[in-house]
Amino acid sequence: MSKVDAIIATARSENRTFLLENEAKTIMQKYKIPVTKFSIAETVEAAIQSAEQIGYPVVLKILSRDVIHKSDVGGVLINIKNADEVRTGYQTIMSNVQKHKPNAKIKGIFVEEFAPKGIEVIIGALKDPQFGPALMFGIGGIFVEVFEDVSFRVAPITKHDAQEMIQEIKGYPILTGIRGQEASDTTALVNILLQVSKIVTDYPVIKELDLNPVFAYPKGAKCVDARIILEEEST
Ligand code: ADP
Ligand code: MG
């Protein structure tokens, strides 16, 4: 069984259609999509150890099958600089989540490499009942939320499709560099789009895939959050 199949099987055995961030990121790694380094900790001490291994600063996130939007419940703390901050951060996240979602089953804390700020883009895939999986691209923040400035293509896509998806959004000049800013590495984004197209084509069981955000840099790009929702199991 491939690693991806094993992850899906585990989710099924636990009656989950939602893959945890570490599971989704492991799938991304299998497809050579760059993601932040991460590990899972079930105790404060283990979290400190992970942080030391990854190197400060780190990011702490709640890891729970019942929390899909982690920051909505106070479940994300970025730029944690030392062991003391891991200790207090761990407690803060636990109490935030308990307050917002008292019944959430908590698996632990996700300790992650802190990625320097880039241009935030969203790369995703969702299934259209008629056309099957479609790829989505947009620039994060208000561009997606307020202006709905996104592009779509039915999977599988070609390199040329991916380039068009990036170029046709209204916010495209943000990626080519405005006001003296350096241009983002759109080739890295094209590669991620192509790999996501492969993933959803290889695994029709994926109902929804969201890389939100991906940080685009002058050289390269990095996915800092990944979410996958599976189809309900057919009986
Ligand atoms: P949510 O489940 O709320 O979408 P995210 O993992 O996307 O949680 O984290 C919320 C925000 O925190 C992100 O949009 C991003 O701006 C920031 N963030 C998350 N992970 C990292 C990271 N590893 N490095 C830097 N910033 C991060
Ligand atoms: Mg996110």
Side-chain angles (χ1 to χ4, degrees), residues 52-192:
E52 250 127 60
Q53 231 154 43
I54 289 168
Y56 293 105
V58 295
V59 174
L60 302 179
K61 299 183 188 179
I62 189 68
L63 199 61
S64 165
R65 56 175 293 155
D66 302 311
V67 177
I68 298 190
H69 298 286
K70 300 173 292 287
S71 40
D72 288 357
V73 295
V76 179
L77 293 175
I78 64 168
N79 204 11
I80 300 288
K81 293 191 219 56
N82 52 51
D84 276 345
E85 289 188 13
V86 174
R87 216 178 292 275
T88 49
Y90 193 100
Q91 308 300 354
T92 304
I93 287 181
M94 291 301 171
S95 71
N96 285 349
V97 175
Q98 260 143 28
K99 200 160 47 195
H100 285 96
K101 274 209 156 207
N103 297 324
K105 285 197 202 95
I106 296 172
K107 183 154 184 203
I109 290 268
F110 197 64
V111 183
E112 192 177 313
E113 161 197 0
F114 175 77
K117 199 110 196 96
I119 304 279
E120 288 199 15
V121 306
I122 298 175
I123 292 175
L126 40 115
K127 254 192 192 161
D128 181 279
Q130 196 179 349
F131 300 107
L135 280 301
M136 192 208 82
F137 178 81
I139 292 181
I142 57 164
F143 292 94
V144 168
E145 282 157 32
V146 183
F147 302 120
E148 293 176 6
D149 184 20
V150 290
S151 55
F152 290 97
R153 287 290 183 289
V154 174
I157 56 167
T158 63
K159 190 171 172 183
H160 181 71
D161 292 328
Q163 285 162 339
E164 277 185 354
M165 286 181 74
I166 293 168
Q167 286 164 9
E168 74 189 29
I169 59 167
K170 293 190 200 77
Y172 178 57
I174 292 166
L175 293 170
T176 57
I178 43 171
R179 295 194 192 144
Q181 299 243 311
E182 258 186 292
S184 297
D185 186 347
T186 49
T187 306
L189 301 178
V190 165
N191 287 337
I192 297 175

Side-chain angles (χ1 to χ4, degrees), residues 4-18:
V4 180
D5 288 315
I7 288 170
I8 293 170
T10 301
R12 289 300 192 208
S13 74
E14 295 174 2
N15 275 316
R16 287 187 279 127
T17 53
F18 163 53

